[in-house]
Amino acid sequence: AQSVSQHNHHVILSEAASLELGCNYSYGGTVNLFWYVQYPGQHLQLLLKYFSGDPLVKGIKGFEAEFIKSKFSFNLRKPSVQWSDTAEYFCAVNGRKAAGNKLTFGGGTRVLVKP
Amino acid sequence: DTEVTQTPKHLVMGMTNKKSLKCEQHMGHRAMYWYKQKAKKPPELMFVYSYEKLSINESVPSRFSPECPNSSLLNLHLHALQPEDSALYLCASSRENGEGYTFGSGTRLTVV
């Protein structure tokens, strides 16, 4: 079975601060990894994804994530946040060859950026 | 076309009503999914269709009935729902190996 753990439930920071959100997964095989963002009252938007190749992945809105296979981690980073980054962030994993390609989400991290 | 389209965007229904949620994609994806998202919670998988056949049912109550009429369409038929079924219902599709996972914007369902 696959599972995802996000370490921080809530993060509060000021504009221009750096952001790092932790994500660890559990799965016995090869995985596809995702970060989604959900702004208040809106639907899920894909920030970035990792399937293979360069473990440092760049996404939209200045976000990036690094896949560290030995640590089963896929942490999300942004060097300088803006007020508009206030949202909930979900890490998700899809174990390749898993029946039906089930996408499992972490519990989410609510980020509040103070102006 | 790289979108998953869901209709309606909002739905209010009584506990004795029958309604359907619709989902459509034209990306050639052969896997389609229904997820349920309660407020302040992550999406939870309900059903997976692979090549128009139901491959996963995550122990969803029978008052939710999925249907996949063809490779582009996915429906969720609702009957005798409870107020606790109020949530955002998300449709997604992907290639059969899981790549290209794309979510729709959801249907916000309120059961009264």
Side-chain angles (χ1 to χ4, degrees):
Chain A
Q2 58 195 33
S3 65
V4 183
S5 175
Q6 292 181 238
H7 314 303
N8 310 99
H9 297 294
H10 294 91
V11 171
I12 301 173
L13 60 168
S14 300
E15 276 192 313
S18 64
L19 173 70
E20 180 159 0
L21 302 182
C23 173
N24 285 89
Y25 68 93
S26 172
Y27 182 68
T30 307
V31 293
N32 299 324
L33 295 159
F34 307 81
W35 275 98
Y36 286 89
V37 62
Q38 192 168 33
Y39 298 102
Q42 296 191 27
H43 61 275
L44 285 170
Q45 297 179 38
L46 180 66
L47 274 179
L48 47 77
K49 60 188 178 186
Y50 172 80
F51 290 150
S52 64
D54 189 344
L56 185 60
V57 180
K58 294 196 183 298
I60 62 171
K61 304 178 189 285
F63 286 91
E64 65 178 29
E66 185 176 12
F67 171 51
I68 303 180
K69 188 175 181 180
S70 61
K71 294 185 179 180
F72 298 90
S73 70
F74 189 55
N75 293 351
L76 180 71
R77 297 193 291 256
K78 185 170 183 177
S80 176
V81 295
Q82 300 172 319
W83 175 79
S84 58
D85 293 320
T86 294
E88 183 136 26
Y89 293 81
F90 294 100
C91 181
V93 64
N94 161 219
R96 295 187 206 168
K97 300 183 182 179
N101 294 303
K102 176 178 177 177
L103 196 62
T104 300
F105 287 83
T109 298
R110 190 154 297 143
V111 174
L112 173 63
V113 179
K114 294 184 173 180
Chain B
D1 188 352
T2 58
E3 288 187 344
V4 174
T5 303
Q6 289 188 243
T7 56
K9 293 194 185 308
H10 300 274
L11 178 63
V12 179
M13 62 184 290
M15 289 188 283
T16 58
N17 292 159
K18 285 185 181 182
K19 296 287 184 183
S20 297
L21 309 185
K22 297 186 183 302
C23 175
E24 188 169 4
Q25 57 89 14
H26 295 289
M27 295 178 279
H29 289 170
R30 301 312 297 269
M32 296 186 76
Y33 313 82
W34 281 114
Y35 285 81
K36 174 181 178 179
Q37 187 179 20
K38 299 283 279 184
K40 302 181 182 180
K41 296 290 186 183
E44 294 180 347
L45 183 69
M46 300 174 72
F47 302 105
V48 179
Y49 272 82
S50 180
Y51 292 91
E52 295 99 70
K53 291 192 182 341
L54 183 65
S55 61
I56 295 179
N57 176 342
E58 292 283 282
S59 302
V60 179
S62 60
R63 57 186 184 268
F64 295 92
S65 176
E67 178 197 18
C68 190
N70 60 54
S71 61
S72 299
L73 294 174
L74 185 66
N75 298 324
L76 186 63
H77 302 299
L78 314 173
H79 174 54
L81 295 194
Q82 303 297 311
E84 59 264 29
D85 296 321
S86 298
L88 181 68
Y89 289 84
L90 296 164
C91 175
S93 70
S94 76
R95 287 189 280 276
E96 49 272 24
N97 63 357
E99 295 187 1
Y101 228 104
T102 305
F103 280 87
S105 57
T107 294
R108 194 164 296 280
L109 174 69
T110 303
V111 181
V112 297

